Amino acid sequence: MPGPASAERPKKHVLYLNSYHQGYQWSDAILEGVRSVLDESAYKIDFQIEYMDAKKYHYEDVTGMLFRLYREKLAGEQFDAIIVSDNDAFAFATQYRDELFPGVPLIFCGINDFTPDMVAQGNVTGVVENFDPQLTLDLALKLHPDKRHMVVVGDESTTGVTILRQIMAVVPNYAGRLTVESWSSLSLEETLERVEHLPPDAFLFFIPYYQTVKGSFYTAEESMEAIYEHSSVPIYTAWSFLLGHGAVGGWLLSGLQHGQIAASMALRILDGESPSSIPVMREPSGEYGFDYNVLWRLRIDQSQLPEGSRIINTPEAFYELPKELFWTIIISLVLLFIILVFLVIAMIERRKVERKIKDQLAFQETLMDAVPQLVSWKDVAGRYLGSNRAFVEFFGLDDGQDAVHGTSGETLHDDEYARWADRADTSVVRTALPLRKVRRELSDATGKKAWLEVNKVPIRDRAGHLVGVLTTAENVTKERDLEKQLLQSQKMKAIGTLAGGIAHDFNNILTSIINSTELAVGDLEEGSVTRKDLERVLKAARRGGRVVNQILAFSRPSTEGFRSTDVGAVVTEAMGLMEASMPGNIEVSLSVAPSLARVHADPTQLHQVAMNLGTNAFHALRERGGTIEARVNRVGLRDEKARRLGVTPGEYVRMAFEDNGPGIPPEILDKIFDPFFSTKDKTEGTGLGLSVVHGIVRSHKGGLQVLPRSGGGTIFEIYLPLSESADGDRGLVRRTGLPTGQHILFVEDDRDQLETTPRLLQAMGYKVTAVLDPEEAARRVAAQPGTFDLVITDYDMPGMSGTELAVRVAEAVRDLPVILVSGREDAVAAAAHLPGIRQVIIKPYDKDDLADAISSVLNAD
């Protein structure tokens, strides 16, 4: 009896859109792979196939006609999935997807030159026709070392152009070894004529293409066979369906495999899985394949072919012998085999134990040498029984046998570590308890300091008796360095945040002091004692402002002056100034690489870095003299070193400052970049020099490291990334002018400044309205749109920032200029996108700074 209807396989409707025509073996193989998977699925597939004939007709010429055809033909069709083969079908499906197949999942295969934006519209996945032409080119040059010229034969179809672009992408890897020529617009007759005149040092790389000759359509296989008949040079390709038609072979793609993968993806989608969750398969696939007939014709030795290569047309080996002779040989071989068996059995018993022991020892040795950790084992007397390769290399032993029967003191160069190891081994033997994760510092075979994380466990025999100690140690030097770097980075970040906050508040205090002092000075007679005292207060406050600027440079250096900068010129200028001021016992030398790339940087800050590091070197050498050497060159940073420096891998300009002084003691190396840390007398510096250097390098997205110099001394290395960023950062431009009595709205949440600054403005001749609340200021501008000529506002205010107030002002009065005042440099960046903010003044500022900014803004308007 037939089963119930519910037992029938569910029906699904799938459209297969083929870029080419039936009979094109590549897409036919893809179709075969698709069918082989769909036919074995749990669904009853209604499989509809449409051919676009893009090999016979240009895609651009038939796109519109195909769209009109499919719009009429497929109207009312409801597809569960669409599978497209090759680029033209994929391009067509994505271009007209909304009109023809709205919301239907799309699975592609045979796609060349794939980019992620090709699936940006979503509901798309598939398999990329990704082949590695370099594998075939490397093989061709290996089999034909005399070849110097490659001709790529193809057509101007979408796929042909895309594949040619993939091949040309690897051509620069063969610069000086191989010249390349492309034939993509020739007829078959022209191609055959050129092939006959190719030089002997040439070979062909064939891309599947089709030709029409005198009204007859030639397939890719027929075209290759015609070229093979007229050619005396090798032909290579990357498509398996062309093998057997004249090609030597190469790394070959399989259309059957592509189709199977695409169909498997389609089944996952039919099962309910989202196409977006199925990753696009991009990895190159294929195998090496060759034609025996072509290999024989070109006299290519099969032993030169890659291992595991597939070879077609291989002749079957056969031997013809008389029956009597054949059986005589067979019987003789059987008798000899029986004799050999008895001999082997007799030998096996004797050597069985020996072989077992050797196998165990060989496996143990291989296993131990494969372990990256340092492994060694001792007896209960503390003498080595064996070690692995990592242990031998770390401690500089010639062979593992050098340590056997010796103690730690007799084997290891680091005496302190050897004594500790012997004590630890004795403790494990005495207590029978393991010792785990103990970190010890020691010197390796080269004398460099390293850190090991050591584990020691007791070794027991079958009876449970303790017979030795097994030691494993992992070299954690890199991990420890990274931990120190992370802790230092976190510490500097925390200090920087604290310094930036302190500097901001201190700038507000200094601004009030400067403004109040200027007002007081103006009320006193010239030359009076009180006026001189207040002028000294004003001088000290301005000097305090410069100290605050140093703190800001450490915590958050400004990027205001960044532009394309010649680092060599900056360092040359700084070293020239230093050399002129150095005593005779200190020599200054400079080496700058020619044609040095420029970086996007602030030359003033880089000049400060060079001067600070040069000054430090001078202080290290001033007592006994020496040499200060500066070098500037271009270097490349790879992954590991870039990670250690905290930068991204790439090309950098390196500034190196080296002296042959006493060097930096290791115990203070982690503190030298801390602000206010100094080994000098307090009268010789503030301790901010290296902190400022650290902050400047960090703001330039660069790296900084300190190294001991061989023979004594210190090397500071600074790495600045190459960049093509243009100039144009916004900053303060000073212009002077005379006050004209304009009305200024002054907004400030600091009451001291609210009392002093308006008086300064009134003394300059301006009418001033002072407001404490920014919300009140915004309401006044909106209520009295023609009253104010200029708004001066603080950046950091409770409830509403200065930039937010500037936006409110612009909404109320379109052309009303705004001057932003802040104690932080990042106010410049915050104001950069607001056209209403004409100037930015950085605290602390004095009367002249304020007058210049106001004059510049009002005169410009």
Side-chain angles (χ1 to χ4, degrees):
M1 295 293 292
S6 60
E8 293 183 0
R9 293 187 299 171
K11 188 173 183 180
K12 299 291 182 179
H13 195 181
V14 177
L15 173 66
Y16 178 78
L17 189 60
N18 191 332
S19 295
Y20 308 127
H21 53 276
Q22 189 173 10
Y24 178 26
Q25 288 199 24
W26 165 254
S27 55
D28 285 355
I30 292 178
L31 178 58
E32 181 183 352
V34 171
R35 284 187 180 277
S36 67
V37 173
L38 295 183
D39 289 346
E40 298 298 324
S41 70
Y43 300 101
K44 183 177 180 181
I45 304 296
D46 183 4
F47 196 56
Q48 182 170 343
I49 305 172
E50 297 292 340
Y51 294 94
M52 294 176 60
D53 278 353
K55 281 290 183 184
K56 297 181 181 180
Y57 310 101
H58 287 295
Y59 172 79
E60 294 79 8
D61 298 336
V62 299
T63 303
M65 292 185 290
L66 289 174
F67 170 68
R68 292 189 295 273
L69 171 65
Y70 292 154
R71 184 173 58 187
E72 298 294 328
K73 183 177 181 180
L74 304 178
E77 295 282 354
Q78 296 293 327
F79 296 105
D80 299 294
I82 300 174
I83 302 175
V84 296
S85 169
D86 293 275
N87 289 66
D88 289 325
F90 180 69
F92 181 87
T94 53
Q95 182 179 356
Y96 298 107
R97 189 176 181 184
D98 293 337
E99 292 86 353
L100 298 178
F101 325 109
V104 182
L106 184 65
I107 305 97
F108 62 81
C109 59
I111 299 300
N112 299 97
D113 208 12
F114 175 82
T115 56
D117 60 324
M118 298 173 80
V119 296
Q121 61 182 239
N123 211 20
V124 181
T125 189
V127 54
V128 179
E129 184 185 332
N130 193 0
F131 74 101
D132 189 354
Q134 193 163 343
L135 295 175
T136 300
L137 296 185
D138 289 343
L139 177 65
L141 295 177
K142 174 185 176 184
L143 299 180
H144 312 283
D146 58 330
K147 301 301 182 184
R148 296 290 183 271
H149 184 67
M150 179 178 72
V151 177
V152 182
V153 180
D155 59 17
E156 295 181 320
S157 66
T158 302
T159 302
V161 172
T162 303
I163 295 174
L164 176 61
R165 186 161 54 245
Q166 291 178 263
I167 296 173
M168 298 304 290
V170 304
V171 168
N173 296 334
Y174 302 91
R177 296 174 54 198
L178 191 65
T179 59
V180 180
E181 179 182 5
S182 172
W183 296 350
S184 57
S185 59
L186 302 179
S187 66
L188 182 59
E189 294 91 338
E190 292 172 326
T191 302
L192 297 179
E193 181 179 356
R194 290 196 181 187
V195 163
E196 291 179 346
H197 297 90
L198 282 174
D201 66 341
F203 69 94
L204 300 176
F205 192 106
F206 189 85
I207 299 174
Y209 82 116
Y210 287 73
Q211 292 281 342
T212 302
V213 181
K214 298 179 180 178
S216 298
F217 190 75
Y218 277 61
T219 66
E221 301 91 310
E222 293 170 335
S223 299
M224 177 178 277
E225 289 173 356
I227 293 174
Y228 177 71
E229 291 175 2
H230 289 75
S231 171
S232 61
V233 301
I235 306 174
Y236 286 86
T237 188
W239 290 268
S240 59
F241 74 91
L242 293 174
L243 198 62
H245 299 281
V248 175
W251 179 262
L252 306 178
L253 291 169
S254 169
L256 179 68
Q257 183 183 24
H258 274 245
Q260 290 172 337
I261 296 173
S264 298
M265 292 179 173
L267 290 179
R268 292 172 62 182
I269 294 172
L270 294 179
D271 288 340
E273 193 170 348
S274 171
S276 301
S277 66
I278 303 176
V280 175
M281 182 175 176
R282 308 184 191 181
E283 293 77 16
S285 60
E287 63 177 354
Y288 282 108
F290 302 92
D291 188 340
Y292 175 88
N293 295 331
V294 182
L295 295 174
W296 182 84
R297 177 189 176 189
L298 297 176
R299 294 179 173 80
I300 298 176
D301 187 358
Q302 294 187 32
S303 64
Q304 294 182 278
L305 302 180
E307 185 177 352
S309 299
R310 180 172 64 92
I311 303 177
I312 66 171
N313 296 327
T314 303
E316 297 181 1
F318 66 93
Y319 302 92
E320 294 183 0
L321 292 173
K323 184 181 297 183
E324 295 81 2
L325 178 60
F326 172 79
W327 284 111
T328 301
I329 293 173
I330 293 298
I331 294 172
S332 300
L333 289 174
V334 171
L335 292 175
L336 289 174
F337 178 74
I338 293 173
I339 296 172
L340 180 62
V341 168
F342 279 105
L343 291 175
V344 170
I345 291 174
M347 296 174 62
I348 286 176
E349 293 301 324
R350 290 172 48 194
R351 299 183 178 179
K352 185 178 296 184
V353 175
E354 179 182 355
R355 184 183 300 112
K356 184 177 181 179
I357 294 174
K358 288 183 177 179
D359 289 344
Q360 290 176 343
L361 292 176
F363 174 76
Q364 175 181 296
E365 183 178 356
T366 302
L367 180 61
M368 290 297 101
D369 287 343
V371 174
Q373 293 181 319
L374 284 62
V375 182
S376 61
W377 50 99
K378 294 180 178 180
D379 58 19
V380 291
R383 296 189 174 274
Y384 284 103
L385 298 175
S387 60
N388 71 341
R389 174 57 52 186
F391 180 92
V392 171
E393 292 176 352
F394 183 86
F395 289 107
L397 305 178
D398 295 332
D399 188 81
Q401 294 300 317
D402 293 348
V404 175
H405 304 309
T407 64
S408 296
E410 296 169 349
T411 305
L412 308 182
H413 300 297
D414 193 311
D415 295 336
E416 183 179 352
Y417 178 79
R419 288 191 294 270
W420 174 84
D422 285 336
R423 291 195 303 270
D425 292 333
T426 302
S427 175
V428 172
V429 171
R430 186 180 68 255
T431 63
L433 296 176
L435 190 67
R436 300 188 185 277
K437 293 187 179 297
V438 178
R439 289 197 174 187
R440 296 291 301 183
E441 185 181 19
L442 73 163
S443 299
D444 62 11
T446 63
K448 294 182 179 179
K449 292 295 183 182
W451 282 85
L452 296 181
E453 188 173 83
V454 183
N455 297 284
K456 291 180 178 290
V457 296
I459 303 175
R460 300 181 182 274
D461 60 13
R462 291 186 177 181
H465 300 134
L466 195 149
V467 295
V469 177
L470 173 67
T471 302
T472 62
E474 184 175 0
N475 190 342
V476 294
T477 306
K478 292 181 180 178
E479 289 78 357
R480 185 177 175 86
D481 290 343
L482 288 174
E483 289 173 2
K484 290 171 61 178
Q485 182 181 355
L486 177 60
L487 290 174
Q488 179 70 8
S489 175
Q490 290 175 339
K491 178 176 69 174
M492 297 302 286
K493 183 178 180 181
I495 294 175
T497 302
L498 176 62
I502 294 173
H504 170 255
D505 292 340
F506 198 53
N507 272 332
N508 282 334
I509 296 172
L510 287 175
T511 300
S512 296
I513 293 173
I514 291 172
N515 292 346
S516 298
T517 306
E518 285 181 331
L519 287 170
V521 167
D523 294 336
L524 297 175
E525 295 181 1
E526 185 73 31
S528 66
V529 175
T530 304
R531 179 165 182 153
K532 291 180 179 180
D533 290 337
L534 290 177
E535 287 174 349
R536 282 193 293 272
V537 171
L538 192 59
K539 182 178 179 180
R542 288 169 176 160
R543 188 165 62 248
R546 289 193 293 270
V547 173
V548 172
N549 287 335
Q550 279 192 309
I551 296 175
L552 284 174
F554 156 70
S555 64
R556 196 176 293 106
S558 171
T559 60
E560 180 181 356
F562 276 38
R563 60 176 180 269
S564 180
T565 302
D566 183 349
V567 179
V570 173
V571 176
T572 299
E573 179 184 354
M575 289 298 100
L577 292 173
M578 287 192 58
E579 186 174 16
S581 61
M582 286 293 169
N585 65 339
I586 297 179
E587 179 183 352
V588 177
S589 64
L590 174 65
S591 173
V592 178
S595 303
L596 198 63
R598 302 172 76 89
V599 302
H600 186 62
D602 185 340
T604 302
Q605 293 185 18
L606 295 188
H607 189 279
Q608 183 178 5
V609 168
M611 293 299 293
N612 285 2
L613 294 179
T615 302
N616 276 6
F618 160 70
H619 283 293
L621 299 173
R622 61 182 172 179
E623 292 184 2
R624 60 183 182 88
T627 301
I628 300 174
E629 182 180 355
R631 296 187 303 276
V632 184
N633 62 326
R634 177 172 175 172
V635 297
L637 292 182
R638 298 190 179 276
D639 294 342
E640 184 172 343
K641 186 169 184 179
R643 180 167 54 87
R644 194 163 60 246
L645 290 169
V647 298
T648 57
E651 293 295 316
Y652 286 76
V653 171
R654 177 176 63 182
M655 303 164 55
F657 298 86
E658 177 179 339
D659 67 76
N660 59 352
I664 300 175
E667 60 270 15
I668 68 168
L669 196 59
D670 293 341
K671 302 184 181 74
I672 61 174
F673 294 108
D674 292 356
F676 306 112
F677 176 82
S678 177
T679 59
K680 307 170 190 173
D681 187 86
K682 63 182 181 180
T683 62
E684 295 182 338
T686 62
L688 286 172
L690 289 181
S691 301
V692 171
V693 169
H694 182 277
I696 291 173
V697 173
R698 183 180 60 184
S699 73
H700 285 73
K701 295 182 175 59
L704 171 63
Q705 68 175 351
V706 185
L707 303 172
R709 179 181 177 274
S710 177
T714 306
I715 302 174
F716 283 84
E717 290 186 342
I718 294 169
Y719 296 85
L720 300 174
L722 301 186
S723 175
E724 298 180 357
S725 299
D727 300 331
D729 293 324
R730 184 173 179 175
L732 177 63
V733 179
R734 295 184 177 275
R735 287 189 292 176
T736 60
L738 295 176
T740 58
Q742 287 92 338
H743 193 170
I744 298 175
L745 176 63
F746 182 78
V747 187
E748 172 62 68
D749 64 315
D750 186 285
R751 294 185 179 275
D752 290 338
Q753 294 181 50
L754 197 67
E755 292 293 333
T756 57
T757 305
R759 291 171 57 195
L760 283 177
L761 295 173
Q762 290 170 354
M764 297 177 196
Y766 298 106
K767 181 180 178 181
V768 183
T769 298
V771 178
L772 181 68
D773 180 18
E775 187 68 42
E776 173 64 21
R779 286 196 295 268
R780 289 199 182 194
V781 171
Q784 307 170 26
T787 302
F788 303 107
D789 301 296
L790 174 66
V791 176
I792 301 177
T793 177
D794 189 29
Y795 176 50
D796 295 294
M797 294 184 294
M800 182 187 301
S801 68
T803 53
E804 292 173 335
L805 176 59
V807 172
R808 293 276 297 275
V809 167
E811 292 173 352
V813 181
R814 178 169 183 160
D815 297 324
L816 181 59
V818 177
I819 294 178
L820 187 66
V821 180
S822 176
R824 297 187 296 177
E825 293 283 354
D826 52 8
V828 176
H833 66 286
L834 299 175
I837 299 179
R838 308 295 177 81
Q839 292 289 326
V840 178
I841 302 176
I842 303 300
K843 298 178 182 178
Y845 58 85
D846 57 20
K847 180 172 63 177
D848 293 336
D849 296 330
L850 198 59
D852 288 343
I854 295 173
S855 177
S856 174
V857 171
L858 294 180
N859 290 342
D861 290 337

